[in-house]
Amino acid sequence: MDGKLFLVPTPIGNLEDMTFRAIRILKECDLILAEDTRTSAPMLKHFGIDKRVFSHHQHNEHKATAEIIKFLQEGQKIALISDAGTPAISDPGFFLVREAIKNEITVECLPGATAFVPALVNSGLPADAFCFEGFLPVKKGRQTKFKKLAEEDRTIILYESPHRLLKTLEEFAQYLGVDRQASVSRELTKMFEETVRGTLTEIKSHFENNTLKGEFVICIAGKPAKKSKSKYDDVEE
């Protein structure tokens, strides 16, 4: 009997965003891997899901993966969830998925909640092409990353914590220009959901005088295309 690894997105705030399929898979699987069992317990209880739950996070995933692969090879159906959203998107999951694929184990990812998609669509910025950066480096490589993003012509999306938001907006204004258009969303799907749009300077000013709580998604317009010069531009009328 072949095992299977399911990647199951969970709500990023509003429990009504859980899919029927996600609930069914979690109820049918043999084991659930959760980023933080204390965080996932209320959600699982809410949906009547009573399964064995093991902790699987960035500090133990390398050590635990070999045993998980063994369970899968024995035919178990295992579901991986993160604290919120889709596993492996700025959360643990990539390493386990890669090892499962190496061992020819079937991996199935369910569609579902993730914070950057609604933030991008709601931003009003171009969504036909974009780059997702997750969390920026805190120290090493941070300046290099800003210089690289200053040349990016696609919409830029990243996550940021409340205590670094103002600093990050200030640095983006420094490298990309104070008038670069952007959008910042916080507490998506929750009661105090908020999206602020405008220039980087305007958005920074807003959050200097308002609430800095919750999870933040920053969307920034890409570098404007240079206007091609016409042969008539220098002709005097």
Side-chain angles (χ1 to χ4, degrees), residues 147-158:
K147 290 180 179 178
K148 181 179 179 180
L149 291 176
E151 299 303 315
E152 177 60 63
D153 58 5
R154 297 169 296 177
T155 299
I156 302 162
I157 312 168
L158 62 142

Side-chain angles (χ1 to χ4, degrees), residues 175-229:
Y175 285 94
L176 278 62
V178 296
D179 293 327
R180 184 70 66 91
Q181 291 293 311
S183 171
V184 173
S185 297
R186 72 176 187 92
E187 296 288 80
L188 286 167
T189 79
K190 301 177 184 178
M191 182 181 295
F192 299 106
E193 177 176 335
E194 177 184 23
T195 294
V196 181
R197 306 173 186 86
T199 66
L200 287 166
T201 301
E202 290 169 342
I203 295 173
K204 179 174 179 290
S205 177
H206 171 85
F207 284 109
E208 284 174 335
N209 300 288
N210 289 276
T211 303
L212 272 175
K213 291 183 180 180
E215 300 296 326
F216 287 82
V217 185
I218 304 174
C219 299
I220 306 174
K223 183 179 181 180
K226 289 184 178 180
K227 182 182 177 182
S228 57
K229 188 174 181 180

Side-chain angles (χ1 to χ4, degrees), residues 58-234:
Q58 62 178 343
H59 302 297
N60 75 350
E61 62 177 337
H62 285 73
K63 183 178 179 180
T65 292
E67 186 175 7
I68 296 168
I69 294 297
K70 181 181 177 182
F71 289 157
L72 289 164
Q73 290 173 330
E74 291 172 351
Q76 293 198 40
K77 303 293 191 293
I78 299 178
L80 173 66
I81 62 175
S82 63
D83 285 347
T86 301
I89 302 296
S90 294
D91 280 321
F94 161 73
F95 184 74
L96 177 58
V97 170
R98 186 179 67 181
E99 294 305 302
I101 293 171
K102 282 182 180 179
N103 285 275
E104 299 183 343
I105 293 165
T106 301
V107 178
E108 187 173 320
C109 182
L110 279 63
T114 188
F116 79 83
V117 173
L120 170 62
V121 175
N122 197 31
S123 70
L125 299 173
D128 56 331
F130 58 88
C131 66
F132 173 66
E133 291 292 327
F135 288 94
L136 295 177
V138 177
K139 294 181 180 179
K140 186 177 180 181
R142 189 174 175 89
Q143 186 178 31
T144 301
K145 177 64 72 173
F146 277 112
K147 290 180 179 178
K148 181 179 179 180
L149 291 176
E151 299 303 315
E152 177 60 63
D153 58 5
R154 297 169 296 177
T155 299
I156 302 162
I157 312 168
L158 62 142
Y159 293 154
E160 193 51 280
S161 62
H163 67 276
R164 280 199 295 266
L165 178 69
L166 296 179
K167 177 185 176 183
T168 297
L169 291 174
E170 182 177 351
E171 289 174 303
F172 268 117
Q174 176 187 344
Y175 285 94
L176 278 62
V178 296
D179 293 327
R180 184 70 66 91
Q181 291 293 311
S183 171
V184 173
S185 297
R186 72 176 187 92
E187 296 288 80
L188 286 167
T189 79
K190 301 177 184 178
M191 182 181 295
F192 299 106
E193 177 176 335
E194 177 184 23
T195 294
V196 181
R197 306 173 186 86
T199 66
L200 287 166
T201 301
E202 290 169 342
I203 295 173
K204 179 174 179 290
S205 177
H206 171 85
F207 284 109
E208 284 174 335
N209 300 288
N210 289 276
T211 303
L212 272 175
K213 291 183 180 180
E215 300 296 326
F216 287 82
V217 185
I218 304 174
C219 299
I220 306 174
K223 183 179 181 180
K226 289 184 178 180
K227 182 182 177 182
S228 57
K229 188 174 181 180
S230 167
K231 64 180 179 179
Y232 301 109
D233 286 348
D234 296 327

